[in-house]
Amino acid sequence: KQEVTQIPAALSVPEGENLVLNCSFTDSAIYNLQWFRQDPGKGLTSLLLIQSSQREQTSGRLNASLDKSSGRSTLYIAASQPGDSATYLCATNNNAGNMLTFGGGTRLMVKP
Amino acid sequence: NAGVTQTPKFRVLKTGQSMTLLCAQDMNHEYMYWYRQDPGMGLRLIHYSVGEGTTAKGEVPDGYNVSRLKKQNFLLGLESAAPSQTSVYFCASSYGAPLSTTNEKLFFGSGTQLSVL
């Protein structure tokens, strides 16, 4: 059974810092991996989706990388802003079908 | 753009009561999902549907039933609510099998906060 872990569970940084969020998974036979953002009391918003054949995806100040062999993905946020404060979750599926496995999320606080 | 809409947003039930949560999507998506989110447990899949008239069990299906009579709607029912079902429920949808291609992103509703006393 796939297990997805995100460490740390919470992170606090000053505004302007570059930071990295980590996601690890136990079964490397993943199809793809998706990063989400969740604001308090809200649903999840898709940030980036990386196919298993890709190494990274970029959107603005966000860069997500994927290393299947080591079972890891990272989300890099450049020049962090208070508006980036949220919980970030990663999820992956496997070739078996339709079920995604989510990590527990990293709660990010960017202080002005 | 409405996207994925969930109703109601909040509900309080007494143990043993029943209720139905409604999810509606206007993106012509085939796949729809119900998740629950609990502190320290992450998101867990309850049931899902790969098209109109189909349903399948997820990771934690016990105590829940679902129906997908119309492509745009996915209903989650609790026949006899229990305190263990206190949670935040999220509906999600995707056009194809989620994450199967670059375009198969998963879209979420804003959630339903359910408390069972």
Side-chain angles (χ1 to χ4, degrees):
Chain A
K1 179 185 174 185
Q2 177 75 279
E3 292 183 5
V4 180
T5 304
Q6 293 185 247
I7 296 174
L11 180 64
S12 180
V13 300
E15 182 177 4
E17 257 196 26
N18 302 324
L19 60 101
V20 174
L21 306 180
N22 298 297
C23 172
S24 61
F25 44 92
T26 55
D27 184 353
S28 63
I30 65 168
Y31 216 152
N32 295 312
L33 186 142
Q34 188 169 359
W35 281 93
F36 295 88
R37 169 185 172 135
Q38 185 177 27
D39 293 289
K42 304 289 187 182
L44 281 68
T45 300
S46 174
L47 295 173
L48 290 164
L49 187 157
I50 310 177
Q51 289 183 288
S52 59
S53 59
Q54 296 176 319
R55 281 286 195 173
E56 61 180 52
Q57 279 283 338
T58 298
S59 175
R61 293 183 294 109
L62 305 180
N63 176 276
S65 68
L66 176 64
D67 184 344
K68 276 183 58 178
S69 61
S70 66
R72 292 180 182 177
S73 176
T74 62
L75 180 66
Y76 174 82
I77 302 177
S80 59
Q81 303 170 357
D84 294 330
S85 297
T87 296
Y88 292 82
L89 298 95
C90 64
T92 185
N93 67 350
N94 57 33
N95 295 334
N98 306 308
M99 295 175 61
L100 302 187
T101 302
F102 282 83
T106 294
R107 189 171 66 254
L108 173 67
M109 173 72 72
V110 180
K111 295 180 288 187
Chain B
N1 297 329
V4 180
T5 303
Q6 291 183 233
T7 53
K9 294 189 184 302
F10 303 95
R11 187 72 185 268
V12 178
L13 291 178
K14 294 181 180 178
T15 298
Q17 287 185 317
S18 64
M19 78 162 293
T20 300
L21 281 67
L22 172 64
C23 177
Q25 53 90 8
D26 62 0
M27 297 175 282
N28 199 35
H29 284 172
E30 292 290 339
Y31 290 66
M32 296 187 75
Y33 300 79
W34 276 107
Y35 288 90
R36 58 178 291 173
Q37 186 175 37
D38 303 288
M41 303 289 287
L43 278 150
R44 293 180 291 169
L45 181 65
I46 305 171
H47 286 280
Y48 65 97
S49 167
V50 300
E52 182 178 311
T54 75
T55 62
K57 293 181 180 180
E59 184 183 356
V60 288
D62 294 342
Y64 305 94
N65 57 76
V66 287
S67 64
R68 182 99 182 269
L69 299 180
K70 292 183 179 180
K71 185 177 182 178
Q72 64 268 34
N73 297 334
F74 195 30
L75 278 63
L76 178 71
L78 286 72
E79 291 185 344
S80 179
S84 61
Q85 293 178 305
T86 294
S87 185
V88 180
Y89 291 85
F90 287 101
C91 176
S93 71
S94 64
Y95 187 74
L99 279 57
S100 59
T101 72
T102 306
N103 293 323
E104 302 309 349
K105 294 180 181 179
L106 204 57
F107 293 85
F108 280 80
S110 58
T112 296
Q113 173 73 61
L114 175 66
S115 295
V116 183
L117 306 177

